[in-house]
Amino acid sequence: MIQKINPIGVFDSGYGGLTVLSEFFDLLPEYDFYYLGDNARSPYGPRSFDTVYAYTLQAVKKLFEMGCHLVILACNTASAKALRSIQQNDLPGIDPNRRVLGVIRPSVEAIGTYTKTNHIGILGTSGTVISNSYPLEIKKIYPEISVTQEACPMWVPLVENNEHNSIGADYFIEKNIHSLIQKNNQLDTIILACTHYPLLFEKIRKYVPENINIISQGKIVAKSLKDYLHRHPEMDDKCSKNNIRKFFTTESVEIFMERAQLFCEQIENIEHLEL
Ligand code: DGL
């Protein structure tokens, strides 16, 4: 008999969302998860609003078809460019009882607990920075906080090409950090607003002055998901809990297997999927 499960869907443009998924595994070990990486069409960072929205909507619909009632966009670019439209325009027509959540809101909510100077920096892809999602969301909750952004278009390709430990990576990381700090020398908190950046953490730490906190999102988003499920028992009841984990990629299984290990140690059960 085929076991019918209703996993929590986790979507990312590629591999980066695996850094968030690892934290879900740690904090919510009993839940079932389907991870979907649109690796064949990543990166999303440089793509237009319309393209990211269209691709993300396809992925969300697919995860719904596969039995997910709750989908997390574990990708800043997709959260910045597609989440609001999907929540407001698409979900009511698809199924008003399903939910799609992103990574920006939980990260923003946590910011207030870190900054003392009320000056924070955002490092992200060009898409995330241009969308202005972080400054807009922060303004809603913490109007007193000033936000300074820096787009780091080379950082994702460095990680994707396994060059994140190279001297070349130092060049780009130092350049972007220097540029961010030059724009605002009162920063005391920097958010890594891209799921790939935790893999660059050591190098980023090397170039960021010691008095500045560097915040990775994974743990914050995982805690927020746990709180969400606690506050919404009707959704929690719909999410199956058999500790089943499956990975789907729009790329080949072999390529996914090889690269995904860099982002998450617990990769198993991979299938190719067309969107
Ligand atoms: N996952 C994306 C993010 O967090 C980075 C990779 C991409 O550009 O597709 O913004």
Side-chain angles (χ1 to χ4, degrees):
M1 196 180 75
I2 296 172
Q3 190 182 9
K4 186 169 168 354
I5 62 166
N6 300 105
I8 297 174
V10 179
F11 171 68
D12 181 45
S13 57
Y15 301 105
L18 294 168
T19 61
V20 178
L21 185 71
S22 303
E23 303 293 344
F24 291 168
F25 288 170
D26 279 359
L27 212 58
L28 300 161
E30 68 278 27
Y31 286 77
D32 299 337
F33 287 100
Y34 279 175
Y35 180 87
L36 169 55
D38 191 8
N39 304 86
R41 302 189 295 195
S42 73
Y44 281 11
R47 292 194 188 274
S48 70
F49 177 95
D50 287 347
T51 304
V52 173
Y53 168 48
Y55 288 179
T56 306
L57 182 58
Q58 285 176 346
V60 166
K61 284 183 174 169
K62 181 63 91 179
L63 285 164
F64 284 168
E65 275 169 36
M66 290 157 71
C68 303
H69 289 269
L70 174 64
V71 172
I72 312 296
L73 304 184
C75 172
N76 285 272
T77 310
S79 299
K81 293 188 166 184
L83 180 62
R84 182 67 51 84
S85 304
I86 291 175
Q87 284 174 333
Q88 291 178 355
N89 305 336
D90 301 296
L91 259 189
I94 301 171
D95 182 346
N97 294 319
R98 304 211 183 202
R99 288 288 172 270
V100 183
L101 305 173
V103 289
I104 296 180
R105 184 77 192 198
S107 309
V108 164
E109 282 170 358
I111 287 169
T113 58
Y114 292 99
T115 180
K116 300 272 178 293
T117 63
N118 282 343
H119 288 267
I120 71 137
I122 303 290
L123 297 167
T125 64
S126 306
T128 298
V129 168
I130 291 166
S131 75
N132 242 1
S133 298
Y134 274 90
L136 291 170
E137 285 296 324
I138 291 169
K139 206 174 168 81
K140 283 186 209 158
I141 310 182
Y142 305 110
E144 67 285 7
I145 292 182
S146 125
V147 183
T148 308
Q149 303 193 90
E150 173 76 10
C152 311
M154 291 302 292
W155 292 16
V156 167
L158 282 169
V159 176
E160 295 265 321
N161 290 292
N162 213 356
E163 289 289 340
H164 52 290
N165 291 320
S166 69
I167 301 169
D170 279 83
Y171 171 80
F172 289 105
I173 292 169
E174 184 176 18
K175 185 171 166 221
N176 288 123
I177 302 275
H178 183 69
S179 164
L180 176 73
I181 289 168
Q182 278 226 315
K183 289 182 211 165
N184 183 346
N185 63 12
Q186 293 183 70
L187 300 177
D188 72 348
T189 304
I190 289 177
I191 301 178
L192 305 185
C194 173
T195 50
H196 280 62
Y197 297 176
L199 275 86
L200 298 167
F201 191 91
E202 277 175 32
K203 286 204 190 285
I204 298 170
R205 186 68 274 176
K206 190 166 137 193
Y207 295 107
V208 170
E210 267 177 37
N211 62 314
I212 301 180
N213 300 311
I214 304 172
I215 311 295
S216 292
Q217 298 175 302
K219 284 195 176 15
I220 293 171
V221 176
K223 184 174 175 307
S224 164
L225 175 59
K226 191 172 177 174
D227 291 348
Y228 175 85
L229 291 166
H230 186 68
R231 281 183 285 112
H232 294 88
E234 75 295 347
M235 179 55 80
D236 190 48
D237 287 347
K238 287 182 196 157
C239 298
S240 53
K241 300 163 189 80
N242 312 291
N243 191 15
I244 293 172
R245 294 150 184 197
K246 269 192 103 158
F247 297 80
F248 298 89
T249 174
T250 54
E251 246 298 348
S252 81
V253 170
E254 292 71 29
I255 291 179
F256 185 87
M257 182 70 186
E258 187 191 312
R259 304 222 186 122
Q261 314 270 7
L262 195 64
F263 297 80
C264 175
E265 283 168 5
Q266 305 156 69
I267 306 290
E268 54 198 323
N269 296 328
I270 311 167
E271 267 181 42
H272 172 79
L273 175 150
E274 295 285 337
L275 283 176

